[in-house]
């Protein structure tokens, strides 16, 4: 292969190519690459069958020291008293503990103070670092790309493959560079950026691609904001998404438990920064978006690409292109929205704040800033679920939990909760939920007829206090507390 | 661990129309509280097939004419969303052996190939035509031919797309890559030794 490539060492390369090449073990018979996985994250739902397969094949975990586990998907968030009320959930958590014990895998369990959604735990612990390959049996593994890691969601058989060989078979995706230039307006967040990108590029627009995000908007983003965007790469169909490492990346990792030791720090920092895509490297596609064109965005339909700005109206079937008509009709029927009507003003029943998209410290600080002094509207059930125990304890230290409690939110323990409703937190009937999570699929939040409207955390706050989908910029703009940090 | 070489899949078809059919729809999350995949088949497409009281809804998968169908036809971006292998596992255990759709989400595609369940891509027009054929005659045989990239439906032949890596894996009996991955013991060690962070 390298014989046909000209001057292989001087060709400018994207971060993706550098990381892919460094982790390529060999080419398989079918042309796929056997790719080394540097960090393997596991959780209770997609790993038990993989451990079962491992036992059937009489294999061991090849790199237990590169495998990390936590519980998130089914863990209750209202109580941590065991056994859990749901015997199936209880059994799955026990199974993970047993598997980790037997195979020597580190587990951030409920009693560790470090448990949380798997995509929060990796960064919090400093496990996720630039230039790594990361895999996890969960599609939102793309989150870790915020650090300049190449991070793939995988199926359970591949979890087995990683456990047994620390490798997976993969086809190399193309790379699309997505630039967002300019400056986001007030009240426009990372969540709005990614919902807008998916709306523009489509839920299948990313098939076959890794997304590289860049431009002045990403340069200015915090690591947590970058995680929000990378998290939803998969909703746009991309295999992974990443941001090139810079000083913000380095600063975030410094001092975390799994960060390189002081003696190795300078070398690691230099190596990470050098991983960024080279000037003039080739991309398979480039997309440019203007930050000024992005407004607070909410979904109206049943996939994350069915999104509109808060000031827009719900689409009509008649106004849609021919090949979209059936999908739009199906979405409108499920959502019970009036075609052509404003999305603002849609009554909500539930407000859910949490998930691996928007359950981080900066989300809680920003949301609390606006929620302070407000009350959740009558008839709205509102729950706030920190994405990790670390976020929960930090909020409690800062009194942020009290802001939520005073407003009428339920304050919960860490987990996925109503993002996928595998634990007791579920919508009932056709309740409509204003949600800071990432999927609005039919039935996603635990009721077949339940309805989800995705939005940023601050927009969830606005919906919670008004009882309807609202423009947070209008709801909160005259409040004195909007200026205090 | 030689696997069966999958060259063709033959059976009757069922058409589940729609684009962006996500894995939450194929297997709702609440059925994933399990430590094995056994028994998932009965829950495939559960919430589109049954009411909350457990009564059957009108759906192609409940239509007795399509009972026993093993080839599923659908639209664009089939299997999007969650990476859950529970989705193709449920389909396989239900009796599905191949999927013909306009396009597939990537994780679903990989998970299905690893189960030896070919996913082949046809155009919207082709799928509409195949659906017409099986609607007119639910007993019509469909053959998905991985080697020649064709689908034969009720005697009509359609040229479809089979991704190269999947074709190689299916025809070569290497659709579950574990044996091949395990072979590379030395190469894996060599790659690991080059990684600065290990
Ligand atoms: S918070 Fe939601 S999207 Fe994230 S890992 Fe949990 S279930 Fe998946």
């Amino acid at each position: 292969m390298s014989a046909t490539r000209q001057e292989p060492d001087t060709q400018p390369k994207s971060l993706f190519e550098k990381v892919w090449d460094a982790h390529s073990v060999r080419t398989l018979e079918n042309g796929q690459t056997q790719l080394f996985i540097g960090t393997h994250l596991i959780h209770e739902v997609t790993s038990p069958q993989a451990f079962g397969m491992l036992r059937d094949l009489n294999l061991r975990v090849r790199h237990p020291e590169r495998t990390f586990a936590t519980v998130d998907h089914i863990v209750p968030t209202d109580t941590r008293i065991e056994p859990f009320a749901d015997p199936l959930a209880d059994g799955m958590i026990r199974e993970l503990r047993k598997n980790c014990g037997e195979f020597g895998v580190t587990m951030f369990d409920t009693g560790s103070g470090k448990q949380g959604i798997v995509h929060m735990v990796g960064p919090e612990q400093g496990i996720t670092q630039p230039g790594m390959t990361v895999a996890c049996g969960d599609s939102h593994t793309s989150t870790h790309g915020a650090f300049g890691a190449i991070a793939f969601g995988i199926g359970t058989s591949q979890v087995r493959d990683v456990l047994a060989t620390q490798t997976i078979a993969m086809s190399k995706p193309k790379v699309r560079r997505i630039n967002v230039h300019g400056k986001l307006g007030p009240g426009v967040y990372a969540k709005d950026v990614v919902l807008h990108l998916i709306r523009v590029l489509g839920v299948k627009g990313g098939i076959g691609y890794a997304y590289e995000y860049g431009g002045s908007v990403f340069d200015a983003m915090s690591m947590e904001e970058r995680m929000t965007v990378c998290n939803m790469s998969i909703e746009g169909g991309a295999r992974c998404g990443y941001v090139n490492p810079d000083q913000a990346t380095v600063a975030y990792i410094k001092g975390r438990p799994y960060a390189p030791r002081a003696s190795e720090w300078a070398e690691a920092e230099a190596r990470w920064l050098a991983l960024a895509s080279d000037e003039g490297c080739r991309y398979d596609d480039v997309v440019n978006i203007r930050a000024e064109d992005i407004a607070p965005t909410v979904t109206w339909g049943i996939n994350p690409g069915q999104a509109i700005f808060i000031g827009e109206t719900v689409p009509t079937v008649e106004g849609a292109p021919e090949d979209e008509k059936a999908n739009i009709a199906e979405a409108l029927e499920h959502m019970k929205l009036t075609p052509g009507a404003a999305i603002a003003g849609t009554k909500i029943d539930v407000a859910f704040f949490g998930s691996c998209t928007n359950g981080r410290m900066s989300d809680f600080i920003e949301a609390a800033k606006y929620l302070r002094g407000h009350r959740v509207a009558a008839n709205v059930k509102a729950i706030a679920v920190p994405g990790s125990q670390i976020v929960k304890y930090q909020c409690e230290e800062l009194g942020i939990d009290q802001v939520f409690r005073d407003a009428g939110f339920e304050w919960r323990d860490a987990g996925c909760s109503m993002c996928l409703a595998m634990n007791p937190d579920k919508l009932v009937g056709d309740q409509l939920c204003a949600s800071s999570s990432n999927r609005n699929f039919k039935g996603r939040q635990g009721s077949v007829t339940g309805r989800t409207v995705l939005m940023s955390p601050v927009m969830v706050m606005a919906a919670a206090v008004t009882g309807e989908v609202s423009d947070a910029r209008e709801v909160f703009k005259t409040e004195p507390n909007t200026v205090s940090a | 661990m030689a696997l069966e070489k999958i060259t063709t899949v033959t059976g009757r078809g069922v058409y589940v129309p729609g684009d962006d059919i996500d894995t939450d729809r194929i297997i709702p999350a609440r059925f994933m509280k399990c430590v094995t995949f056994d028994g998932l088949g009965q829950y495939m497409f559960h919430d589109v097939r049954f009411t909350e009281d457990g009564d059957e809804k009108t759906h192609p998968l409940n239509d007795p004419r399509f009972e026993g169908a093993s080839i599923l036809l659908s639209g664009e971006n089939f299997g999007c969303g969650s990476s859950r292998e529970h989705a193709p596992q449920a389909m396989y255990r239900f009796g599905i052996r191949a999927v013909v759709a306009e396009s597939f989400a990537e994780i679903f595609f990989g998970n299905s190939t690893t189960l030896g369940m070919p996913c082949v891509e046809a155009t919207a027009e082709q799928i509409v035509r195949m659906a017409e054929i099986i609607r007119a005659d639910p007993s019509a045989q469909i053959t998905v031919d991985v080697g020649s990239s064709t689908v034969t439906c009720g005697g009509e032949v359609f040229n479809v797309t089979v991704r190269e890596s999947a074709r190689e894996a299916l025809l070569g009996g290497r659709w579950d890559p574990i044996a091949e991955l395990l072979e590379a013991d030395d190469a894996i060690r060599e790659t690991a030794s080059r990684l600065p962070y290990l």
Side-chain angles (χ1 to χ4, degrees):
Chain A
M1 277 191 308
S2 52
T4 56
R5 209 195 280 160
Q6 289 179 345
E7 301 172 53
D9 295 326
T10 56
Q11 288 278 355
K13 281 184 174 185
S14 66
L15 176 140
F16 184 87
E17 273 186 280
K18 296 180 201 180
V19 177
W20 181 273
D21 291 351
H23 292 79
S24 295
V25 173
R26 61 171 182 160
T27 304
L28 298 169
E29 297 250 11
N30 69 351
Q32 288 188 300
T33 300
Q34 181 168 5
L35 192 73
F36 191 89
I37 298 301
T39 297
H40 188 200
L41 304 168
I42 59 175
H43 62 81
E44 74 279 26
V45 175
T46 57
S47 70
Q49 296 87 352
F51 280 107
M53 298 175 197
L54 207 64
R55 285 196 188 88
D56 289 347
L57 295 167
N58 207 8
L59 295 168
R60 305 213 43 79
V61 176
R62 186 174 174 115
H63 279 283
E65 83 290 358
R66 296 306 310 161
T67 314
F68 303 91
T70 190
V71 284
D72 50 7
H73 283 68
I74 56 173
V75 72
T77 60
D78 50 355
T79 170
R80 283 291 152 92
I81 298 167
E82 298 190 34
F84 299 127
D86 177 348
L88 292 172
D90 197 70
M92 291 181 82
I93 292 177
R94 276 166 213 292
E95 182 83 6
L96 182 63
R97 287 177 183 151
K98 187 186 85 179
N99 288 331
C100 289
E102 184 180 330
F103 290 97
V105 170
T106 301
M107 178 170 174
F108 301 102
D109 205 344
T110 47
S112 70
K114 298 168 179 172
Q115 171 265 336
I117 304 170
V118 63
H119 310 309
M120 302 210 31
V121 171
E124 279 176 350
Q125 293 303 314
I127 293 168
T128 305
Q129 295 172 11
M132 281 180 176
T133 46
V134 180
C136 174
D138 187 279
S139 56
H140 293 97
T141 308
S142 55
T143 312
H144 304 266
F147 292 82
I150 299 302
F152 300 114
I154 56 177
T156 292
S157 295
Q158 288 177 300
V159 173
R160 171 207 62 189
D161 295 347
V162 182
L163 290 172
T165 70
Q166 206 65 24
T167 66
I168 51 173
M170 247 195 102
S171 303
K172 187 178 179 180
K174 295 176 283 186
V175 182
R176 172 179 290 147
R177 165 84 179 193
I178 300 176
N179 293 306
V180 184
H181 299 292
K183 203 166 173 298
L184 297 174
V188 182
Y189 294 98
K191 181 64 156 286
D192 301 307
V193 172
V194 69
L195 285 172
H196 182 69
L197 289 177
I198 299 168
R199 173 189 186 180
V200 171
L201 297 172
V203 288
K204 46 194 167 275
I207 291 182
Y209 282 99
Y211 279 175
E212 176 179 300
Y213 302 105
S216 51
V217 165
F218 284 92
D219 294 342
M221 275 187 188
S222 70
M223 290 312 295
E224 301 203 340
E225 292 171 310
R226 293 176 189 179
M227 283 189 250
T228 298
V229 176
C230 289
N231 175 274
M232 289 190 71
S233 304
I234 183 73
E235 307 307 335
R239 199 64 188 77
C240 64
Y242 67 92
V243 178
N244 284 307
D246 61 8
Q247 285 303 334
T249 322
V250 172
Y252 180 98
I253 298 170
K254 195 158 195 172
R256 293 186 185 264
Y258 286 83
R261 276 168 298 184
S263 59
E264 292 159 6
W265 179 259
E267 189 271 324
E269 180 175 341
R271 175 162 44 81
W272 292 343
L273 295 174
L275 284 165
S277 294
D278 298 329
E279 191 96 43
C281 73
R282 202 188 64 85
Y283 295 107
D284 298 285
D285 189 31
V286 178
V287 172
N288 291 297
I289 306 270
R290 275 165 35 97
E292 290 73 17
D293 293 343
I294 308 174
T297 300
V298 297
T299 59
W300 61 268
I302 54 173
N303 72 52
Q306 291 176 326
I308 50 179
F309 298 140
I310 183 66
E312 291 185 275
T313 55
V314 176
T316 61
V317 176
E318 299 74 51
E322 209 50 47
D323 61 339
E324 282 292 311
K325 281 187 164 44
N327 293 341
I328 289 182
E330 184 190 358
L332 286 171
E333 189 190 335
H334 180 83
M335 293 302 291
K336 302 185 175 137
L337 295 176
T338 312
I343 189 80
T346 305
K347 291 264 171 292
I348 72 155
D349 306 292
V350 177
F352 169 65
F353 176 28
S355 89
C356 61
T357 311
N358 281 122
R360 296 187 185 79
M361 203 56 218
S362 56
D363 296 314
F364 278 84
I365 291 172
E366 186 71 10
K369 186 166 109 185
Y370 294 103
L371 183 65
R372 192 182 298 275
H374 289 278
R375 286 284 310 167
V376 170
N379 306 324
V380 171
K381 174 190 167 80
I383 64 172
V385 189
S388 69
Q389 291 181 329
I390 289 180
V391 170
K392 175 173 190 272
Y393 301 150
Q394 239 174 307
C395 283
E396 288 169 359
E397 258 167 47
L398 296 172
I400 286 175
D401 62 317
Q402 208 52 51
V403 175
F404 283 91
R405 292 179 208 268
D406 289 348
F409 269 81
E410 293 175 33
W411 182 253
R412 296 296 189 83
D413 224 311
C416 297
S417 180
M418 210 187 271
C419 173
L420 96 163
M422 272 188 88
N423 79 345
D425 307 325
K426 296 180 198 317
L427 296 183
V428 180
D430 70 354
Q431 279 182 329
L432 190 137
C433 180
S435 182
S436 70
S437 57
N438 48 44
R439 288 200 172 130
N440 51 344
F441 298 154
K442 283 182 178 178
R444 172 75 178 182
Q445 293 192 288
S447 165
V448 181
T449 48
R451 297 170 292 162
T452 303
V453 177
L454 302 176
M455 57 185 80
S456 73
V458 172
M459 289 284 282
V460 172
M461 298 305 114
V465 305
T466 59
E468 50 191 47
V469 176
S470 308
D471 190 335
R473 298 170 301 184
E474 286 166 19
V475 175
F476 297 120
K477 98 179 142 199
T478 55
E479 301 298 323
N481 56 18
T482 60
V483 286
S484 70
Chain B
M1 283 191 285
L3 300 169
E4 179 200 351
K5 293 182 172 38
I6 298 174
T7 52
T8 61
V9 178
T10 299
R12 289 181 293 111
V14 57
Y15 179 42
V16 178
D19 293 338
D20 309 312
I21 290 183
D22 57 77
T23 53
D24 277 77
R25 204 150 348 148
I26 299 171
I27 185 84
R30 64 182 185 281
F31 300 118
M32 288 162 56
K33 286 186 208 160
C34 52
V35 293
T36 77
F37 290 127
D38 304 341
L40 280 183
Q42 60 185 306
Y43 303 122
M44 183 193 78
F45 282 105
H46 185 277
D47 294 343
V48 286
R49 289 167 54 213
F50 301 100
T51 65
E52 282 173 89
D53 300 328
D55 298 331
E56 283 194 359
K57 295 186 199 173
T58 311
H59 191 276
L61 290 163
N62 289 335
D63 188 330
R65 292 179 304 154
F66 300 115
E67 206 182 318
S70 58
I71 295 170
L72 192 135
L73 310 176
S74 193
E76 274 189 293
N77 201 24
F78 187 81
C80 63
S82 160
S83 63
R84 60 185 72 160
E85 190 171 311
H86 303 66
Q89 289 275 4
M91 290 170 62
Y92 194 89
R93 279 153 214 267
F94 182 86
I96 302 299
R97 290 294 176 269
V99 189
V100 183
E102 285 174 63
S103 61
F104 294 89
E106 294 193 64
I107 303 179
F108 179 89
F109 182 90
N111 287 343
S112 300
T113 307
T114 303
L115 287 182
M117 182 167 76
C119 291
V120 304
E121 288 160 347
T123 64
E125 295 71 41
Q126 289 175 326
I127 289 166
V128 166
R129 178 65 195 137
M130 292 180 214
E132 274 171 17
I133 295 170
I134 60 173
R135 196 178 313 120
D137 176 13
S139 71
Q141 290 289 306
I142 301 183
T143 295
V144 175
D145 189 320
V146 176
S148 67
S149 297
T150 57
V151 172
T152 309
C153 180
E156 288 182 36
V157 181
F158 302 86
N159 290 316
V160 298
T161 306
V162 184
R163 279 192 223 173
E164 196 49 41
S165 59
R167 186 219 313 278
E168 280 295 318
L170 292 162
L171 294 179
R174 284 185 297 269
W175 33 271
D176 183 338
I178 185 71
E180 205 182 350
L181 294 178
L182 281 165
E183 276 168 18
D185 195 52
D186 290 342
I188 296 171
R189 195 167 305 116
E190 212 265 309
T191 305
S193 71
R194 276 188 281 120
L195 292 171
Y197 63 88
L198 280 195

